[in-house]
Amino acid sequence: MVIEKICCLGAGYVGGPTCSVIALKCPNITVTVCDKSVERINQWNSEKLPIYEPGLDEVVKKCRGKNLFFSTDIAKGIQEADLIFISVNTPTKTFGNGKGRAADLKYIESAARMIADLATSNKIVVEKSTVPVKAAEIIMKILRANTKPGVEYQILSNPEFLAEGTAHSRGQKAVQALCWVYEHWIPAKNILTTNTWSSELSKLAANAFLAQRISSINSLSAVCEATGADVSEVARAVGRDSRIGPKFLEASIGFGGSCFQKDILNLIYLCECLNLPEVAAYWQQVVSLNDYQKTRFTRKVIESLFNTVSDKKIAILGFSFKKNTGDTRESPAIYVSNTLLDEGAKLHIYDPKVEVDQIYYELTNAYVTSEPERVRKNIQIHDTAYSAVTGAHAIVLCTEWDEFKELDFKKIYDAMMKPAYIFDGRKILDHEALINIGFHVQTIGKRLSRAGSIRAQGSQTMP
Ligand SMILES: NC(=O)c1ccc[n+]([C@@H]2O[C@H](COP(=O)([O-])OP(=O)(O)OC[C@H]3O[C@@H](n4cnc5c(N)ncnc54)[C@H](O)[C@@H]3O)[C@@H](O)[C@H]2O)c1
Ligand SMILES: O=c1ccn([C@@H]2O[C@H](COP(=O)(O)OP(=O)(O)O[C@H]3O[C@H](CO)[C@@H](O)[C@H](O)[C@H]3O)[C@@H](O)[C@H]2O)c(=O)[nH]1
């Protein structure tokens, strides 16, 4: 089976970059990324791409208009393709059965229906979105029930790092065809094939394990703060054991991003449906601990500022969920900002990559506030860290952008209200140097000599 044309439904964070790399690595394959959003496709066809990813601009510039196309003509994309990636969003359900936990598969279903309606020749359909176990069966059911005469489908699950196929022989050919695409740049020994259910569950399991490591080290960060141990030292020691390993042991303000929470909630829901309440409770704790970490950090900010932030200017440095991205989905900065806004603070926010409108959207949408106008009045977004911090009572560092380490903190200290506070939610700053300048500093998983909290000054509070 030779793949000449690939179509991808969904021009998001996964579909856009994945297809750009396929186009770069497979010059003989024509790749068309389709989306129902005209705005998104226009952005992909413009000088300013809709997402920031290091190196992505160059790849798109090199391939766009040659063998990489972005289009809203979904019908043409589907009809011409040999292989179709479904890379649409699978958000957590916000209503009805499974609300707050189950993945909402309405976009997957609509993509499958579009394929069934429009396809006039055989297709390999590859589920690229992260889905609950057995979602491939839903796609198969929809396609089979609506198939045009003579059209055959092979469904594969290929979440991120696994290539997989159904067991029968045509399915195996489809698996080989997809492997062939990847083998243009990935050594064959690194391409794993397995059955659909294992593939789907592996994706949820991988994210659950990664998030669990972060919640584990974050839980210990609280123990460190209470005892005087240093969580970085603990992580370094524990990570030296090769059975544990050093990666993903960075204590933080909490994990964010579009995947971890959504996928664990999805796993929890799956376990509940399978009547496995103990397993569901086990994974729920990973999410609960993450919520605890965000709450704990924010409470520390408020308590340190004499238990009131009302009308105080607070600088938020970093708004994306991690460095090197403009993505704000589930960013811990949203929780921190919302809580401070609820307490009456005036926020001055700076992030090197997040768009201004995106920050306003995250802090004023209907899910987080019933008073968008009041909130809007209390937010100011800045072009530089220096302008955000001028006149501030406190700096709350939410994202580990490298440029924050290079700031001139003496200059910043002079420009701030006194006492000047820094809350380093990512443990990236030189705390001793900041203390020497005169700052009151607090961070995650380490008690500092001049923390400046109420408790450090001899009174009560702080759990
Ligand atoms: N973001 C990540 O880092 C990441 C990594 C691995 C897996 N995933 C998974 O991949 C999937 C996609 O994630 P994303 O971050 O790219 O989402 P996204 O929201 O950035 O993009 C999804 C796109 O699909 C489009 N869409 C929805 N229905 C459509 C349809 N029927 N036809 C055409 N377009 C349609 C939407 O308009 C949107 O632009 C999710 O299941 C996610 O869990 C995401
Ligand atoms: O030691 C660590 C590592 C990460 N984080 C935080 O965890 C979140 C997620 O980070 P990361 O995993 O790097 O980002 P994602 O882009 O969300 O990638 C995850 O989610 C994707 C979507 O499913 C998967 O494909 C990836 O393998 C998986 O790492 C971020 O807020 C990080 O700041 C920590 O707090 N401590």
Side-chain angles (χ1 to χ4, degrees):
M1 206 179 289
V2 180
I3 306 292
E4 288 176 355
K5 291 196 172 167
I6 290 178
C7 165
C8 176
L9 299 181
Y13 285 85
V14 170
T18 303
C19 287
S20 301
V21 171
I22 293 176
L24 180 76
K25 301 289 185 181
C26 312
N28 298 330
I29 298 179
T30 302
V31 186
T32 306
V33 190
C34 294
D35 205 292
K36 56 187 187 176
S37 159
V38 176
E39 191 193 347
R40 235 189 188 173
I41 291 299
N42 285 345
Q43 287 172 323
W44 279 108
N45 282 322
S46 73
E47 284 303 300
K48 189 164 182 341
L49 302 183
I51 64 177
Y52 171 74
E53 188 77 47
L56 182 64
D57 277 16
E58 292 72 45
V59 176
V60 171
K61 262 187 205 134
K62 208 165 166 193
C63 303
R64 196 171 52 193
K66 294 186 185 115
N67 68 331
L68 175 65
F69 300 91
F70 295 93
S71 169
T72 49
D73 192 345
I74 296 178
K76 185 163 176 262
I78 289 176
Q79 277 160 358
E80 291 185 348
D82 308 302
L83 184 150
I84 302 169
F85 283 116
I86 298 182
S87 195
V88 300
N89 35 333
T90 49
T92 306
K93 270 185 92 171
T94 52
F95 53 86
N97 217 1
K99 177 181 172 183
R101 293 189 313 247
D104 189 343
L105 296 184
K106 70 178 172 189
Y107 301 108
I108 295 272
E109 181 170 341
S110 84
R113 288 188 187 278
M114 278 176 175
I115 297 170
D117 280 351
L118 297 164
T120 48
S121 58
N122 296 351
K123 310 285 174 202
I124 300 173
V125 177
V126 184
E127 171 192 273
K128 191 90 186 131
S129 300
T130 306
V131 288
V133 181
K134 294 205 170 183
E137 277 192 2
I138 300 174
I139 299 176
M140 182 58 99
K141 268 191 194 149
I142 291 169
L143 293 178
R144 289 230 171 105
N146 297 283
T147 299
K148 294 197 173 61
V151 178
E152 274 194 37
Y153 297 102
Q154 304 302 326
I155 318 292
L156 306 182
S157 160
N158 171 216
E160 195 68 11
F161 51 87
L162 296 170
E164 158 297 320
T166 45
H168 55 88
S169 63
R170 278 217 195 81
Q172 282 305 337
K173 281 197 181 132
V175 173
Q176 281 160 16
L178 181 59
C179 289
W180 172 80
V181 172
Y182 286 124
E183 278 166 20
H184 281 76
W185 76 99
I186 296 168
K189 67 174 174 32
N190 290 351
I191 302 177
L192 308 184
T193 61
T194 177
N195 76 43
T196 319
W197 304 333
S198 304
S199 173
E200 289 169 336
L201 185 57
S202 303
K203 177 64 195 174
L204 296 185
N207 277 350
F209 271 56
L210 290 169
Q212 181 209 42
R213 282 176 73 93
I214 301 170
S215 279
S216 296
I217 199 70
N218 281 344
S219 76
L220 293 173
S221 74
V223 179
C224 289
E225 287 162 38
T227 57
D230 178 343
V231 76
S232 300
E233 294 299 306
V234 174
R236 192 159 68 97
V238 168
R240 284 294 279 275
D241 184 329
S242 62
R243 293 169 300 177
I244 297 172
K247 293 182 185 163
F248 264 68
L249 282 182
E250 203 64 69
S252 66
I253 185 175
F255 60 74
S258 65
C259 299
F260 281 176
Q261 173 157 313
K262 168 173 79 70
D263 293 349
I264 299 179
L265 291 174
N266 200 343
L267 179 62
I268 293 166
Y269 184 65
L270 185 71
C271 296
E272 284 170 353
C273 293
L274 296 170
N275 199 20
L276 301 168
E278 289 82 0
V279 186
Y282 175 76
W283 290 110
Q284 175 61 50
Q285 198 51 28
V286 173
V287 178
S288 303
L289 202 289
N290 198 50
D291 290 338
Y292 165 75
Q293 187 75 349
K294 289 185 276 189
T295 314
R296 207 168 68 81
F297 178 74
T298 315
R299 212 164 49 202
K300 190 189 284 191
V301 173
I302 296 165
E303 288 179 355
S304 301
L305 296 174
F306 316 114
N307 249 333
T308 175
V309 291
S310 182
D311 286 330
K312 284 185 181 160
K313 176 174 174 178
I314 297 184
I316 303 286
L317 295 190
F319 202 80
S320 57
F321 78 94
K322 62 174 183 179
K323 72 175 181 180
N324 295 337
T325 178
D327 194 347
T328 59
R329 290 178 290 179
E330 301 295 339
S331 175
I334 300 171
Y335 174 84
V336 173
S337 300
N338 276 327
T339 309
L340 294 173
L341 286 165
D342 278 351
E343 293 273 345
K346 301 208 179 301
L347 298 189
H348 290 248
I349 304 173
Y350 167 70
D351 186 284
K353 285 288 173 208
V354 178
E355 301 287 334
V356 171
D357 286 350
Q358 184 60 23
I359 297 178
Y360 278 121
Y361 167 75
E362 291 287 16
L363 298 179
T364 59
N365 75 62
Y367 291 113
V368 299
T369 180
S370 54
E371 302 174 284
E373 278 319 308
R374 181 187 66 79
V375 167
R376 196 170 266 271
K377 270 195 221 133
N378 288 327
I379 307 170
Q380 213 169 304
I381 300 178
H382 292 259
D383 289 341
T384 66
Y386 292 111
S387 85
V389 303
T390 303
H393 290 264
I395 294 172
V396 181
L397 190 149
C398 292
T399 315
E400 72 281 20
W401 287 100
D402 289 338
E403 68 172 64
F404 295 156
K405 293 190 258 187
E406 310 302 327
L407 291 170
D408 178 345
F409 280 98
K410 175 74 181 80
K411 180 172 151 187
I412 287 177
Y413 180 78
D414 291 341
M416 284 176 67
M417 301 286 284
K418 309 294 176 326
Y421 289 84
I422 292 191
F423 301 90
D424 179 2
R426 296 291 186 163
K427 296 192 297 103
I428 59 164
L429 302 178
D430 181 343
H431 303 131
E432 288 310 314
L434 293 174
I435 290 167
N436 287 338
I437 290 172
F439 282 105
H440 292 266
V441 188
Q442 300 230 19
T443 190
I444 301 280
K446 187 179 184 184
R447 210 195 277 165
L448 295 165
S449 54
R450 191 166 173 216
S453 69
I454 293 174
R455 186 217 215 177
Q457 291 165 5
S459 6
Q460 28 66 32
T461 75
M462 286 287 300

